[in-house]
Amino acid sequence: MALEVNGKSIETDENGNLTDPHSWDEDVARALAAKEGIELTQEHWDVINYLRSEYFDNNGEQPMERVINKGMSKIWGKKVTSKDLYALFPLAPSKQGNKVAGLPFVLRKGGY
């Protein structure tokens, strides 16, 4: 499958995740989010940037939801719950968030 963004064809897998995380940019994120029915806010971008940073800075590691909660709590300076993150990414921050962040599909379950 492919996603058309700004005249470029971006390859996705059968789950809709990018096959090459390096082909991601903010326009691709907006297109992926639109397909998911999500209008990106600054909080979405904070989570997306956190997920990408964790992936690229930690040898492809993709954090579970509990770790995302803790990471976002540090960034936002307040206690973040799963409910907060599911309000942003209703189909799971560790799956739908990774998709919009241009990262590979995660096979594992959520994350506690």
Side-chain angles (χ1 to χ4, degrees):
M1 294 187 279
L3 178 70
E4 295 296 322
V5 180
N6 297 332
K8 293 188 301 185
S9 182
I10 310 292
E11 286 300 314
T12 60
D13 65 16
E14 62 277 359
N15 299 301
N17 292 66
L18 299 187
T19 56
D20 177 9
H22 297 285
S23 63
W24 181 92
D25 63 24
E26 289 187 2
D27 289 334
V28 171
R30 286 183 193 92
L32 290 166
K35 283 185 80 167
E36 297 291 309
I38 296 172
E39 186 174 330
L40 297 175
T41 65
Q42 184 57 52
E43 287 182 329
H44 288 97
W45 286 113
D46 290 344
V47 174
I48 289 166
N49 290 327
Y50 170 78
L51 292 171
R52 288 189 62 81
S53 174
E54 287 296 305
Y55 181 80
F56 288 108
D57 295 344
N58 295 304
N59 296 319
E61 287 294 317
Q62 293 176 285
M64 296 185 297
E65 288 172 21
R66 180 181 213 167
V67 176
I68 298 170
N69 290 351
K70 289 181 178 183
M72 296 317 299
S73 291
K74 288 180 184 175
I75 291 169
W76 291 339
K78 65 178 185 176
K79 182 169 176 49
V80 175
T81 66
S82 291
K83 185 177 179 179
D84 298 325
L85 293 177
Y86 273 85
L88 299 172
F89 298 103
L91 299 180
S94 66
K95 293 193 185 277
Q96 194 175 36
N98 278 336
K99 180 186 289 187
V100 176
L103 302 175
F105 181 74
V106 179
L107 290 175
R108 69 171 183 272
K109 292 185 179 177
Y112 277 90

